[in-house]
Amino acid sequence: MAKKRKYISQKNENKLRDIGKLILNFMNKKSSKIYNYKQISDGIGYKNPRQREQVIQALHRLLAKDKIKETEKGKYIINLQIEGTLIGIIDFNQSGNAYVKVEGLEEDIFVHSKNVKDALQGDKVLIVTYHFKGKKMEGSVLEVLERNREEFVGTLEYIKHKDFGFVVCDKKQINTDIFIPKGNIHDAKDGDKVVVRIVDWKPHSKNPEGKVVQVLGAPGEHETEIHSILAEYGLPYSFPEEVEQEADAINRNIDEEEVKKRRDMRDVLTFTIDPKDAKDFDDALSIRQLKNGNWEVGVHIADVSHYVTPGTLLDEEAYSRATSIYLVDRVVPMLPEVLSNDVCSLRPNEDKYTFSAVFELNDKAEIIKQWFGRTVIHSDRRFTYEEAQERIETGKGDLAEEILVLDKLAKILREDRVKKGAITFDRSEVRFHLDENNEPVGVYFKTSKDANHLIEEFMLLANRKVSEYISINAKNEVTGLTFIYRVHDDPDPTKLEALRDFVATFGYKMNLSNSKKVAESMNNLLKSVKGKGEENMIETLAMRSMSKAVYSTDPIGHYGLGFAYYTHFTSPIRRYPDLIAHRLLQHYLDKGKSPNKAEYEEKCKHCSNMERLASDAERDSIKYMQVKFMEQHLGQEFEGVISGVAEFGFWVQIPENGAEGLIKLRDLMDDTYMYDAKNHAVYGMRTGNQYQLGDTVKIKVIKADLVRKQLDFKIMGKI
């Protein structure tokens, strides 16, 4: 019982911390203004007596941490109002220098490595700015305001005769080793990979002091490296016992009283289409022909919000994780397995609670009617993508007629999207055949076919229409209701211009005169490079020219999809934003008032951040498995394509397996090579020999470093 009280206390602490963030964001907008607690409460939308009490508690916490000052009793101002200072997030490069991103500034502020003080990657810092020798603005770190993280992964180097050690971190997120006194080494041994927490960093000390909090194992071992990847990004790989217990206690029965509150669609033909190795099925499609000849298509999504409710440990944990993580050999789910693979999973021949978007479509895929709400369904069949694809290609097999109708409608929807400005990135994804010991025995590429596009189009339709339903009223007026959107900003014009100039060297043209022309040019470019040597390289550059999609309460639209309003509604088993969208949609269906926007913006930022971390972890796990696979090919030669160029070397990707290795300029013995950033190339100063992005070369695999997840290649010549 004591454990539970502690957990609730922590929950209250987290709540006050979140309110503190809202207060600081509000006060930062007018940092010279003095506020009383009522003005602050109104500013963040905390208006009832209980909420105002929480604001007062949060203000006391901020005072104690010197984040704000009390100018006189009950009057507050944000701290650190020093002339010439800025607050931003620090980002280190490989050289140890850094840039600080300041909200509202177009250009990041450069900070030399000698002026970074004790800042670490991703920290929120206070910097003082100046013009060094009349050049561009630079900055020096005055103070770390908020640590991005306090735990790091590295290898322990224990100096036995001196009874202390150092942890050398795996990634350059910290530009010094961490000193570990004997008493803080615990059970770790020299050479172990560990998780270390920084406990102190004395002024003017080169090394922070830390303690080992977890021993991961021997470097290079499979489980060690996979757990290291998760630990590196602060991601969990197990659930707290009390969360598992709460999930196990959930009532799994379909209750007839609950069914009465829902639209009963159990008698409508319904099925799922998923990858063959999928265990959680969070979306299903239903289809039937209406008497008027139109088609009723239901997009049915697992009703996670029925089981995971605000204020529970389960919800706290799901929000903390915000997303499932898909590593090469396992899934780290957002929800415990009893929910993700059982209770909420739309398994065949079982009644399930769902949240649905039901559309009446004519043969031209035009929407005649739409309906949103809670339902109960019964999935009649589970298809794999391969089985659905077979029916599309042959017209044979059970439910072939229904799948062909859905395929026809999906193709019309897709064609319409592209006409209206959607960009069609159809990149293949690398996958591995693993043996029973998770050793890679083969590599293959996952490509999207018609069956994948069928599901994609109806999910996009549901996401778009739910978003529009909340954002635009019957009179076609913007409602301004608080909602969670998936947004994708317009591309950076300078990146687009660089892409246009570069692809011109391969004979491709791009028209950047307006948004529609950009989208048309991009689609034509992607179509033109299909099957050519430069395909992967140009696709990669095109992707890099795009902005990153994030979650926001501000509906700026989704550029890549060509939608003015878009949300994530279709995967609440694996994405917390979808769960937020379900709750808000039901709130508005129940005629509820618009909730506090600032609170939801904080949730959006958290979910975007967790998505980025999960994506980085997934990418690292692929790199690790590629290096492991290429260990078997040391000394062998391959043809490859130059996929990236930097001032210290260039990367070559092997098309047949997706593995990418580095060729260091210092290892090119035939000449002294210089970097040409404009042309994505390096060239020999004496010979004029050039290696450019997209060139085909022959390489030899000379090193496979599992710990650093890096391959080193030797150049054998151009092809």
Side-chain angles (χ1 to χ4, degrees):
M1 207 57 196
K3 260 189 180 180
K4 191 164 184 183
R5 276 199 300 272
K6 186 178 178 185
Y7 202 101
I8 289 168
S9 169
Q10 182 61 45
K11 189 171 80 173
N12 186 51
E13 191 74 6
N14 290 343
K15 179 70 176 171
L16 292 179
R17 187 189 64 218
D18 292 343
I19 295 170
K21 286 181 184 176
L22 292 176
I23 292 170
L24 290 177
N25 286 341
F26 169 68
M27 294 177 75
N28 255 321
K29 288 173 186 171
K30 291 187 178 176
S31 53
S32 59
K33 190 172 175 182
I34 296 169
Y35 299 91
N36 61 37
Y37 90 93
K38 286 183 180 177
Q39 291 169 316
I40 292 168
S41 298
D42 288 342
I44 66 168
Y46 274 54
K47 296 179 181 178
N48 68 44
R50 169 70 184 134
Q51 289 176 326
R52 290 196 167 183
E53 179 58 36
Q54 289 176 322
V55 169
I56 291 168
Q57 291 176 32
L59 285 168
H60 286 309
R61 279 170 50 96
L62 294 172
L63 276 171
K65 292 185 175 183
D66 288 331
K67 298 285 180 78
I68 59 174
K69 292 177 182 176
E70 193 169 22
T71 56
E72 56 182 285
K73 192 165 176 59
K75 300 283 182 71
Y76 306 98
I77 190 170
I78 199 143
N79 203 351
L80 305 168
Q81 294 307 303
I82 306 168
E83 191 73 29
T85 63
L86 294 167
I87 293 172
I89 304 297
I90 195 163
D91 181 25
F92 285 84
N93 59 25
Q94 288 192 331
S95 66
N97 297 326
Y99 288 87
V100 173
K101 186 174 186 63
V102 178
E103 206 168 316
L105 286 189
E106 282 188 24
E107 285 197 45
D108 299 341
I109 309 293
F110 175 77
V111 180
H112 193 276
S113 58
K114 66 175 186 274
N115 296 324
V116 298
K117 208 176 175 186
D118 59 346
L120 306 175
Q121 177 66 22
D123 286 351
K124 182 184 272 191
V125 294
L126 176 75
I127 60 169
V128 61
T129 58
Y130 50 87
H131 290 274
F132 183 67
K133 293 183 179 177
K135 294 180 185 175
K136 278 179 86 172
M137 187 186 285
E138 290 190 21
S140 288
V141 175
L142 289 177
E143 188 180 347
V144 173
L145 303 178
E146 197 177 298
R147 286 278 182 217
N148 177 45
R149 59 188 301 184
E150 291 176 339
E151 292 186 356
F152 299 87
V153 174
T155 304
L156 177 68
E157 295 180 358
Y158 180 45
I159 305 164
K160 199 168 184 181
H161 67 281
K162 291 190 176 177
D163 268 351
F164 63 79
F166 287 91
V167 169
V168 181
C169 293
D170 284 2
K171 291 206 167 187
K172 283 287 177 190
Q173 290 185 313
I174 178 167
N175 48 357
T176 184
D177 300 337
I178 301 170
F179 172 72
I180 314 290
K182 183 184 179 182
N184 287 350
I185 288 175
H186 302 307
D187 298 328
K189 300 179 183 67
D190 181 48
D192 275 350
K193 188 163 269 200
V194 298
V195 180
V196 60
R197 179 181 296 141
I198 292 177
V199 293
D200 191 22
W201 198 335
K202 292 181 173 61
H204 312 300
S205 174
K206 183 188 173 187
N207 302 97
E209 186 179 312
K211 69 174 179 180
V212 174
V213 294
Q214 189 181 359
V215 178
L216 296 168
E221 289 184 1
H222 181 80
E223 286 300 304
T224 300
E225 294 304 327
I226 292 294
H227 285 163
S228 294
I229 289 168
L230 291 168
E232 182 65 54
Y233 295 104
L235 300 169
Y237 49 85
S238 62
F239 285 94
E241 190 182 336
E242 54 266 56
V243 173
E244 292 274 18
Q245 287 172 355
E246 193 172 276
D248 289 337
I250 282 174
N251 182 358
R252 307 181 198 190
N253 298 321
I254 297 295
D255 178 59
E256 284 309 312
E257 286 304 309
E258 177 62 29
V259 169
K260 288 175 187 173
K261 301 174 190 173
R262 296 169 175 262
R263 180 169 171 175
D264 192 341
M265 300 189 70
R266 287 177 289 186
D267 61 343
V268 183
L269 174 66
T270 303
F271 49 84
T272 59
I273 305 177
D274 289 283
K276 58 186 172 187
D277 57 352
K279 292 185 176 70
D280 59 332
F281 314 125
D282 52 12
D283 57 75
L285 291 178
S286 68
I287 181 169
R288 64 178 166 190
Q289 190 163 28
L290 303 174
K291 287 178 182 176
N292 61 8
N294 290 337
W295 299 97
E296 181 194 83
V297 178
V299 181
H300 307 288
I301 311 302
D303 189 1
V304 176
S305 63
H306 176 76
Y307 299 101
V308 180
T309 54
T312 58
L313 302 185
L314 203 49
D315 186 51
E316 294 274 338
E317 184 69 21
Y319 174 68
S320 171
R321 295 175 177 230
T323 182
S324 294
I325 307 153
Y326 293 84
L327 304 182
V328 283
D329 66 335
R330 71 196 70 190
V331 177
V332 182
M334 183 181 84
L335 298 170
E337 193 173 319
V338 67
L339 281 165
S340 55
N341 294 0
D342 181 3
V343 181
C344 296
S345 186
L346 307 183
R347 303 189 301 189
N349 306 312
E350 294 180 8
D351 291 353
K352 295 287 180 177
Y353 295 143
T354 44
F355 215 132
S356 303
V358 182
F359 303 101
E360 181 184 332
L361 301 164
N362 62 21
D363 283 331
K364 295 178 182 176
E366 294 166 334
I367 297 170
I368 310 303
K369 286 181 188 172
Q370 61 183 27
W371 178 91
F372 307 105
R374 283 183 152 135
T375 51
V376 58
I377 66 160
H378 182 96
S379 176
D380 300 289
R381 172 78 151 87
R382 186 227 157 166
F383 284 101
T384 64
Y385 280 121
E386 291 77 9
E387 288 171 332
Q389 186 65 28
E390 187 184 350
R391 280 146 185 79
I392 291 169
E393 289 174 4
T394 67
K396 295 176 182 176
D398 61 317
L399 305 186
E401 188 181 336
E402 288 81 2
I403 287 175
L404 284 169
V405 169
L406 289 169
D407 178 57
K408 177 191 162 194
L409 294 171
K411 282 173 176 162
I412 296 170
L413 289 169
R414 185 176 174 84
E415 191 181 336
D416 186 55
R417 272 200 310 114
V418 174
K419 275 182 188 169
K420 288 177 178 172
I423 297 172
T424 54
F425 283 106
D426 261 342
R427 299 198 73 191
S428 54
E429 298 172 31
V430 67
R431 293 286 187 268
F432 300 89
H433 293 297
L434 305 177
D435 65 15
E436 63 277 7
N437 299 314
N438 285 319
E439 294 292 326
V441 293
V443 177
Y444 66 98
F445 291 90
K446 177 188 160 193
T447 53
S448 289
K449 295 187 176 181
D450 287 341
N452 304 79
H453 294 318
L454 185 162
I455 290 296
E456 180 187 25
E457 287 309 318
F458 283 105
M459 297 307 121
L460 291 175
L461 180 66
N463 288 336
R464 173 165 62 100
K465 287 300 174 182
V466 164
S467 180
E468 289 176 358
Y469 174 76
I470 286 169
S471 307
I472 308 167
N473 65 21
K475 296 177 182 175
N476 209 28
E477 298 165 334
V478 175
T479 62
L481 296 173
T482 296
F483 195 54
I484 184 166
Y485 297 95
R486 180 70 168 174
V487 300
H488 184 222
D489 210 346
D490 289 0
D492 182 338
T494 55
K495 287 183 180 178
L496 281 177
E497 286 163 9
L499 176 67
R500 177 198 61 195
D501 295 345
F502 180 71
V503 299
T505 63
F506 290 86
Y508 301 110
K509 291 182 178 178
M510 291 187 73
N511 185 339
L512 309 182
S513 57
N514 59 53
S515 248
K516 195 170 181 186
K517 292 293 182 189
V518 170
E520 278 177 16
S521 294
M522 194 72 82
N523 284 330
N524 289 335
L525 176 67
L526 295 171
K527 202 181 288 180
S528 301
V529 299
K530 277 287 174 205
K532 296 183 181 172
E534 63 267 24
E535 176 186 357
N536 189 62
M537 175 261 301
I538 286 179
E539 278 192 346
T540 301
L541 286 176
M543 288 284 282
R544 286 177 189 164
S545 72
M546 296 286 113
S547 303
K548 281 188 170 63
V550 293
Y551 297 104
S552 174
T553 55
D554 186 14
I556 63 168
H558 196 295
Y559 177 83
L561 294 173
F563 293 155
Y565 296 95
Y566 187 67
T567 191
H568 271 171
F569 175 79
T570 52
S571 293
I573 287 177
R574 62 185 180 90
R575 293 188 304 225
Y576 197 86
D578 302 56
L579 183 53
I580 295 174
H582 280 215
R583 287 171 179 167
L584 285 172
L585 175 57
Q586 187 59 53
H587 177 71
Y588 293 130
L589 288 170
D590 294 336
K591 309 298 181 191
K593 290 182 179 177
S594 184
N596 180 269
K597 189 175 179 179
E599 276 192 48
Y600 279 89
E601 186 58 34
E602 281 298 312
K603 292 177 196 284
C604 287
K605 285 178 181 171
H606 168 73
C607 291
S608 298
N609 184 48
M610 293 308 294
E611 178 188 55
R612 183 179 53 78
L613 293 178
S615 176
D616 289 346
E618 288 162 12
R619 194 160 41 245
D620 275 7
S621 81
I622 290 169
K623 279 185 191 171
Y624 165 73
M625 200 57 81
Q626 282 173 326
V627 173
K628 203 171 192 185
F629 178 73
M630 292 304 291
E631 261 191 326
Q632 307 158 32
H633 300 283
L634 284 172
Q636 292 182 23
E637 293 185 5
F638 294 87
E639 278 189 18
V641 176
I642 295 177
S643 55
V645 185
E647 55 195 17
F648 53 84
F650 55 89
W651 289 268
V652 174
Q653 187 175 60
I654 302 170
E656 66 196 71
N657 56 38
E660 193 173 55
L662 177 66
I663 291 168
K664 300 179 181 113
L665 293 191
R666 67 170 183 255
D667 293 336
L668 297 175
M669 307 308 292
D670 63 322
D671 203 343
T672 301
Y673 283 82
M674 300 296 289
Y675 174 51
D676 178 0
K678 186 180 177 184
N679 292 305
H680 302 275
V682 296
Y683 63 92
M685 293 182 72
R686 181 175 50 82
T687 62
N689 191 21
Q690 181 174 281
Y691 294 102
Q692 187 178 34
L693 198 67
D695 284 351
T696 303
V697 293
K698 183 165 272 191
I699 58 92
K700 181 188 278 189
V701 183
I702 58 171
K703 188 180 179 185
D705 188 332
L706 282 173
V707 176
R708 294 173 67 195
K709 304 171 192 67
Q710 185 174 302
L711 292 167
D712 285 354
F713 294 162
K714 181 181 179 182
I715 197 84
M716 304 304 289
K718 289 177 80 170
I719 294 173

